[in-house]
Amino acid sequence: MHTFHSELTKRRRARTELDGGQLVTPYECPERVDLVLQRVRETGLGEVREPVVHGLEPVLAVHDRGYVEFLEHCWTDWVAAGRQGEAIAWIWPTRTMPGRVIPEHIDGRLGHYALGADTSICEGTFEAAMASKDIALSAVDHVLATGEPAFGLCRPPGHHAATDQFGGYCFFNNAAIAAQRALDAGRSRVAVLDIDFHHGNGTQQIFYARDDVLFLSLHGDPRHCFPYFLGHADETGEGAGEGFNANYPMAPGTGYARWVEALEDAKARMLDAGCELLVVSLGVDAFEHDPISAFRLASDDFTDVGRRLRQLGLPTVFLLEGGYAVAEIGLNAVNVLSGFEGD
């Protein structure tokens, strides 16, 4: 299995994250890439390739142009405003302030485009996000051209990024960009399976009213887990997309036996829907020792996940999302890929 990777993904090296009322070093860090890449090479998974550089057109196929322009210029605008720290939103449109007009001030624009205060924007964020989507596009292009599986070592992750909002460490929705790429290449329906512990709210929002993408997410119950305001089982799509959104919220403490029941149901839905390609949002933060998650999957379970996904017989691209037990992220991510390859 080819892995697509770029050192440019490390251009984002944020120093601050709001967690539990304190500013802490972000859990999503450049070292995650090094650990996954090390494991890819240790296991002889396959060739590691540089991605092809793409422009903004594939991004604009799923993201709002004003949002993309905001991300491109946010850091320079923030510095120009005389700020010393990293750009963090602190005020938002709300139920009583609907925000019909996008503010001109950088503080207001941050609030307009941010999901929450968890994710700062620092120097290099836009460049890293551009490299990350290039990785996703190169990986899916490889799958489309050869039918062989591929792994996109994406960073920043993407599944929390909505049409015009960032958050949860995500800026461009890599899985959505890859799925749209496959559709533009002639596939009639694509499945996006999100196995990250946290619900892929951005991917759901982007495709919620469409029937050409089947979105399925296995995640912590939003009544208890980030992102809190999306991801319930009764969210099944709207309009043309009715029936093409499937959420599997599970309680904190869920182990593999319960989790894999949801996976098998999601697999059956993919086959019933006639999906022609599978994009896996490969978060491995369902791991039992992950510091910001609450499932109980063991490292060996991830190998079995890969085996079960192989049974679908679909052309498959894996794109890295979350996973923050840094010492084990390489082991767990590559276990999925090795299981898919037949160990």
Side-chain angles (χ1 to χ4, degrees), residues 1-21:
M1 182 185 300
H2 291 319
T3 294
F4 291 85
H5 158 68
S6 170
E7 287 292 307
L8 293 176
T9 62
K10 300 182 199 173
R11 291 287 298 276
R12 170 174 165 79
R13 188 174 287 273
R15 303 187 310 274
T16 46
E17 172 182 340
L18 183 61
D19 179 47

Side-chain angles (χ1 to χ4, degrees), residues 171-184:
F171 303 93
F172 292 151
N173 194 307
N174 302 311
I177 291 169
Q180 187 63 52
R181 180 74 156 202
L183 295 169
D184 292 342

Side-chain angles (χ1 to χ4, degrees), residues 66-298:
Y67 167 69
V68 174
E69 291 174 352
F70 161 78
L71 287 179
E72 183 176 8
H73 300 293
C74 176
W75 178 249
T76 55
D77 291 348
W78 180 258
V79 172
R83 303 306 171 78
Q84 300 300 311
E86 294 178 332
I88 302 176
W90 58 273
I91 188 166
W92 290 267
T94 66
R95 292 188 299 275
T96 57
M97 293 195 301
R100 289 183 294 272
V101 178
I102 301 174
E104 295 181 10
H105 195 282
I106 185 59
D107 288 351
R109 282 187 286 134
L110 266 169
H112 177 80
Y113 290 116
L115 289 170
D118 62 308
T119 301
S120 62
I121 291 180
C122 63
E123 185 176 14
T125 293
F126 184 75
E127 291 79 5
M130 289 288 284
S132 192
K133 62 85 180 171
D134 285 339
I135 289 168
L137 287 165
S138 297
V140 76
D141 282 351
H142 177 79
V143 175
L144 290 167
T146 67
E148 299 172 352
F151 172 46
L153 185 42
C154 295
R155 180 188 180 266
H159 70 149
H160 293 306
T163 302
D164 62 353
Q165 286 190 301
F166 72 92
Y169 314 128
C170 302
F171 303 93
F172 292 151
N173 194 307
N174 302 311
I177 291 169
Q180 187 63 52
R181 180 74 156 202
L183 295 169
D184 292 342
R187 301 304 184 273
S188 61
R189 180 167 292 142
V190 174
V192 178
L193 173 67
D194 192 326
I195 62 172
D196 192 284
F197 171 78
H198 303 96
H199 178 249
N201 60 282
T203 315
Q204 171 171 313
Q205 181 266 333
I206 289 169
F207 296 121
Y208 201 63
R210 293 170 51 172
D211 62 0
D212 52 358
V213 174
L214 173 65
F215 176 64
L216 313 104
S217 180
L218 285 63
H219 53 269
D221 190 324
R223 292 177 298 174
H224 307 286
C225 307
F226 180 91
Y228 297 111
F229 303 113
L230 209 65
H232 297 281
D234 62 354
E235 298 161 9
T236 57
E238 64 183 13
E242 177 61 46
F244 289 90
N245 194 90
N247 286 322
Y248 299 86
M250 289 171 275
T254 292
Y256 189 58
R258 168 68 188 92
W259 190 93
V260 82
E261 290 178 0
L263 177 64
E264 289 299 319
D265 189 83
K267 286 169 57 182
R269 291 194 185 208
M270 285 184 252
L271 294 175
D272 289 345
C275 297
E276 299 176 349
L277 183 139
L278 171 60
V279 178
V280 180
S281 277
L282 181 56
V284 291
D285 46 358
F287 181 53
E288 58 190 337
H289 300 306
D290 194 277
I292 58 173
S293 305
F295 283 171
R296 296 292 178 261
L297 273 62

